[in-house]
Amino acid sequence: MEAARDFVRAIVWGEHTTVWELLSDAGRSTALSVARARGFDRVIASRIDDGVADPTELDEFQARLVGGLRRDLRSVDLEHLEPLSGPDPFEEGRVVVELGSPSTLPGAEPWSAGRLVLSADDAGRWRIDRLEPRLAGP
């Protein structure tokens, strides 16, 4: 749960280096794949993937990544987004944490705004594999 809270907090506050640090290898690969599909420079993406990117290139990519994650969560009041439940078993070696947002209806329970899929790295630390937002509205 701590990794999930830290990840959400980093998205809320735009702490792009923390978001990157909390992503698993699979999460980083997915982020780079999505960026390439959306027109991000393939050469720079390859350098980031290989760990040889110029610090400025990496910083710019990480900032764009946080912007993309914030857009993915656009139907949520980010300041009130928090883990609702979990971690629950998902697949072998992976868990899922549900993310919730308070309802604006009096007396209503928080609603699920999405979930995070996490896996443990080689050092046993939980890292984010992916964010699966649930969008409300257009």
Side-chain angles (χ1 to χ4, degrees):
M1 291 295 276
E2 185 177 337
R5 279 189 190 92
D6 290 346
F7 190 72
V8 168
R9 192 173 320 127
I11 292 170
V12 170
W13 293 104
E15 297 170 353
H16 57 284
T17 56
T18 301
V19 166
W20 189 250
E21 290 168 6
L22 288 170
L23 287 175
S24 66
D25 289 342
R28 290 178 179 187
S29 291
T30 298
L32 286 166
S33 177
V34 169
R36 283 183 195 106
R38 293 184 178 169
F40 189 74
D41 186 286
R42 293 183 181 285
V43 174
I44 295 173
S46 293
R47 285 198 295 258
I48 292 170
D49 200 25
D50 293 340
V52 296
D54 178 272
T56 303
E57 293 172 333
L58 180 58
D59 190 63
E60 181 182 323
F61 172 75
Q62 291 171 343
R64 286 182 171 188
L65 172 61
V66 170
L69 293 170
R70 291 174 69 92
R71 275 189 304 279
D72 287 347
L73 294 166
R74 66 187 169 273
S75 64
V76 178
D77 180 0
L78 286 176
E79 291 184 24
H80 295 102
L81 181 67
E82 61 185 47
L84 271 184
S85 67
D88 297 316
F90 181 64
E91 296 171 348
E92 187 166 338
R94 299 167 101 190
V95 297
V96 65
V97 173
E98 290 291 324
L99 300 175
S101 180
S103 175
T104 56
L105 302 173
E109 296 291 319
W111 60 277
S112 177
R115 64 187 190 167
L116 294 172
V117 178
L118 298 89
S119 61
D121 66 12
D122 293 338
R125 296 172 301 210
W126 289 101
R127 297 292 181 234
I128 310 304
D129 287 342
R130 67 179 180 264
L131 165 66
E132 298 174 347
R134 288 190 185 92
L135 299 178

